[in-house]
Amino acid sequence: MNSKQRLLFSITMTTIMASVMSWLGMAKSTGINLAFWRAYATSILPTLAFAIMWNVLVASNVAKLMIKLGTRKLTDEAEIITRSGTIRSWTMISVMCFTMSTLALVVNGELFAMTPVTFILAFFGDFTMAFFVRGMFVMPLVKRMVLGTPKTVQIISEEEAEENVEAAAE
């Protein structure tokens, strides 16, 4: 991806992930009712603003640093590209999940009432949920939205291929 696509991808990914994860976290803790919808409506715009700014200014720079450190001894370009994608993916989800779940705990006044063990357990619960939501729903949707639909590959026999070549030559 070029820089423009990566920025668009990051902003789209952050917007959808923050929206979905906020919705799931609030629904899990309060249930879905009128108060839930009011709270979600009033909190979503500040959440999105913080998430996008944090992603662009902090998480992406942490990912760049981790990629630099994680690929410094590699020489094969294909391996560097593969490892860079893996490092970026894990770094972004880790930094964003830790930051956003901690922010939610601070805003709700729950962080300082937690023990370190309950904080760690809460983080891993949020991280697991974010990992599956991102992998199963959000990432495929964002890739399709930003990068476009992949072209379908049509498998044809050798004879059909020769006929197509002959027809194109005529």
Side-chain angles (χ1 to χ4, degrees):
M1 276 190 264
N2 61 38
S3 297
K4 191 176 179 180
Q5 284 176 318
R6 182 162 308 288
L7 181 63
L8 180 61
F9 184 87
S10 291
I11 290 171
T12 307
M13 184 75 172
T14 303
T15 301
I16 295 173
M17 278 299 289
S19 300
V20 170
M21 291 303 293
S22 292
W23 191 92
L24 287 171
M26 291 174 74
K28 185 176 75 173
S29 65
T30 64
I32 300 175
N33 52 39
L34 188 58
F36 158 80
W37 287 110
R38 268 189 250 137
Y40 182 75
T42 58
S43 68
I44 193 62
L45 289 179
T47 299
L48 292 177
F50 178 82
I52 291 168
M53 295 301 289
W54 187 260
N55 184 302
V56 171
L57 298 175
V58 177
S60 62
N61 289 322
V62 172
K64 285 178 191 173
L65 175 64
M66 297 304 289
I67 289 168
K68 187 175 181 180
L69 293 173
T71 60
R72 68 177 180 262
K73 293 182 181 178
L74 300 178
T75 55
D76 181 31
E77 189 174 334
E79 190 175 346
I80 291 171
I81 291 169
T82 302
R83 179 148 331 150
S84 295
T86 303
I87 292 170
R88 178 176 285 106
S89 178
W90 281 104
T91 302
M92 294 299 279
I93 194 169
S94 300
V95 170
M96 291 302 292
C97 186
F98 180 78
T99 305
M100 296 305 291
S101 62
T102 305
L103 177 65
L105 292 171
V106 169
V107 168
N108 295 329
E110 297 173 8
L111 180 65
F112 303 108
M114 298 175 89
T115 66
V117 172
T118 56
F119 175 77
I120 291 168
L121 291 174
F123 168 72
F124 281 113
D126 290 345
F127 183 83
T128 303
M129 186 167 51
F131 181 79
F132 284 107
V133 166
R134 181 191 71 161
M136 292 173 44
F137 304 107
V138 178
M139 185 70 79
L141 175 66
V142 173
K143 280 184 178 179
R144 187 169 294 252
M145 288 171 59
V146 174
L147 303 176
T149 52
K151 294 182 179 174
T152 11
V153 177
Q154 184 179 7
I155 300 174
I156 58 174
S157 68
E158 245 181 84
E159 296 161 355
E160 289 175 306
E162 289 173 11
E163 288 173 8
N164 290 344
V165 170
E166 290 170 8
E170 294 174 351

